[in-house]
Each structure stands twice: as structure tokens, then as C-alpha cells.
Amino acid sequence: MTPGWIDHVFVILALLLIFPIAGWWSFQRFLARAESDRESALLREYRETLLWLFGLGAAVTAIWLLHARSLEALFFREPVWGSPGFVTGLLVALVLAIVARPIAVGLSRKMSEAFANALGKFALFLPTTPRALALAILVSLAAGLFEEVAYRGYLLPYFENFLPLWGAVIASSVLFGLGHIYQGVAGTVSTTFIGLVMALAYLATGSLWVAIGLHALLDISSMLMAYLALRERNPARV
């Protein structure tokens, strides 16, 4: 990938500035709306998030194709390290850990309460009804696909033009974290770390679809955990 001026404008304006600021502003607006009707505000926020994610994916794809780049290069690259058996073992262990989280919350009252109490005001953004959960799962699937295309498939090769591979991994993960700045400092840091894990999964396997699957599974797992922990609580207390 040889970046052009459109790539620079998109990275600086969209990924570095617009998405973080718009995400923070949208979340503050949601919190204000949630004071009067939490469920309606949440469903509206999920729908708007879907539009933002589709827009992100469409913009990245359009810029990629505008430069006559191969779609295959957006989703696949040569693995850079690790034996196939070792990488597969790590991925299986990671998937099992992700799947185990909502199961543990569903089975343990103590863990469920601890998780719910740790969410703070961000609990307002998480599903407590089957309808909200269904839409949250759609958001999770869209985030897994479009955010990985943008922050790993697109940003990694972009930054590799200016930085060594490890620097490109860090830079793309930091921008990914900044895109979630509405979650606060702790949420931004944890999301940056998740970005690092997804980048390593992509680089180790050479397939962006692995990172897409892990990302979507992680988000769905988190939504299920929230639903199981919060569904019996009075919305006014969440």
C-alpha cells in the first residue's frame, strides 16, 4: 500500500478527529436522553452506531478501491511469526476464555453483581431487554467487521509506510482506543489493548477474518454478560 493524500486526510480527519469526537458527543447525548426513556434512547443509539459503522466500512472500502488496491490485500497478508500449531492453540484458548465469560456471569450471582457494579454509568449503554440485546448483537457483528477492516486491514499497512511493524501495530491500536474515548480513560486503555491483541491475531494468522471473528465474539460476549448481569435490575438504578 502506497498512501495518497486521500489516505492522509481520512486518517487524520476521520479516524484521529471525527470518530473520537463524534463518539464522545453521541454518548453524552445518549446519557441525556436516557434520563427520560432509557430503552428508547438505547435502541436509537444502537441504530445510529450501526450507521456509523457501515459508513466507516464504506469509506475505507471506497478509498481502497479508488486507489485500485486489491480487496484480497485488505483481508490477507503473509503471517509474520509463530508456528501454525502454536498460534492455533493460543486462538482456541482465547476463544474458550471469551465464551466462558458470560457463562460464568450467568452461573455466579456474586460474579454477576460484581460485574454490574463495576460498569458504573456505562451500564446505561448496555442491553437489559431481549430487544436491546438482539440489536446489540447486530452492533457487535458490525463492529467486528468494519472496525477490523478500518483499524487493522487499512491502518496497519498505512502506518507501515512510516513505521516499523511494531510501531504500526501500536499506532493503529492507539487510534482504535481513541475511537472509544467515550468509555473514559479505563475504557480507552482497555480498548487499545484489545486492538493490540487483534493486530497480533491478524499478523500471526495472515487473515483479517480471524481478527474479525475474535472481535465480534468478544463484543457479543460482553453484551451477553451485561444482559445477564443487568436484566433483573431496575433501570432507574443502573
Side-chain angles (χ1 to χ4, degrees):
M1 171 185 179
T2 301
W5 67 268
I6 295 179
D7 296 297
H8 301 318
V9 170
F10 178 72
V11 170
I12 295 172
L13 288 185
L15 298 183
L16 181 60
L17 297 175
I18 294 176
F19 271 84
I21 294 172
W24 179 86
W25 173 78
S26 179
F27 186 65
Q28 299 306 311
R29 187 183 57 173
F30 159 74
L31 291 177
R33 289 172 175 164
E35 292 181 359
S36 57
D37 189 344
R38 178 187 183 277
E39 183 71 3
S40 176
L42 182 61
L43 294 176
R44 176 174 178 174
E45 188 68 11
Y46 283 168
R47 294 188 187 101
E48 291 180 356
T49 300
L50 282 171
L51 291 176
W52 273 99
L53 290 169
F54 275 103
L56 174 64
V60 169
T61 303
I63 293 172
W64 195 267
L65 295 178
L66 183 65
H67 288 85
R69 297 164 184 154
S70 166
L71 276 180
E72 183 178 1
L74 187 60
F75 289 90
F76 298 98
R77 62 183 293 159
E78 285 295 321
V80 295
W81 63 70
S83 66
F86 179 72
V87 170
T88 300
L90 283 179
L91 290 175
V92 169
L94 184 56
V95 167
L96 291 176
I98 292 172
V99 171
R101 298 191 314 154
I103 295 175
V105 167
L107 294 177
S108 172
R109 183 75 176 182
K110 182 177 181 181
M111 186 173 293
S112 173
E113 292 179 352
F115 176 73
N117 291 333
L119 291 172
K121 69 177 183 179
F122 194 69
L124 287 168
F125 191 64
L126 298 169
T128 59
T129 66
R131 184 181 180 187
L133 177 62
L135 198 53
I137 290 175
L138 286 178
V139 171
S140 299
L141 292 171
L145 175 58
F146 297 124
E147 288 186 343
E148 288 307 311
V149 166
Y151 289 97
R152 254 64 68 183
Y154 176 82
L155 268 189
L156 266 179
Y158 172 83
F159 279 124
E160 282 182 87
N161 286 276
F162 317 104
L163 301 168
L165 181 58
W166 64 266
V169 169
I170 293 174
S172 61
S173 300
V174 168
L175 258 66
F176 179 63
L178 289 176
H180 298 76
I181 198 170
Y182 65 92
Q183 296 182 16
V185 175
T188 302
V189 172
S190 64
T191 305
T192 300
F193 176 76
I194 290 171
L196 288 171
V197 173
M198 297 305 158
L200 293 177
Y202 176 33
L203 293 173
T205 62
S207 174
L208 188 64
W209 290 105
V210 173
I212 290 170
L214 284 176
H215 188 152
L217 183 63
L218 181 62
D219 283 3
I220 290 172
S221 171
S222 299
M223 293 299 185
L224 286 172
M225 287 174 67
Y227 174 73
L228 293 170
L230 301 173
R231 59 181 172 173
E232 295 181 357
R233 288 191 166 201
N234 185 333
R237 294 175 54 201
V238 180

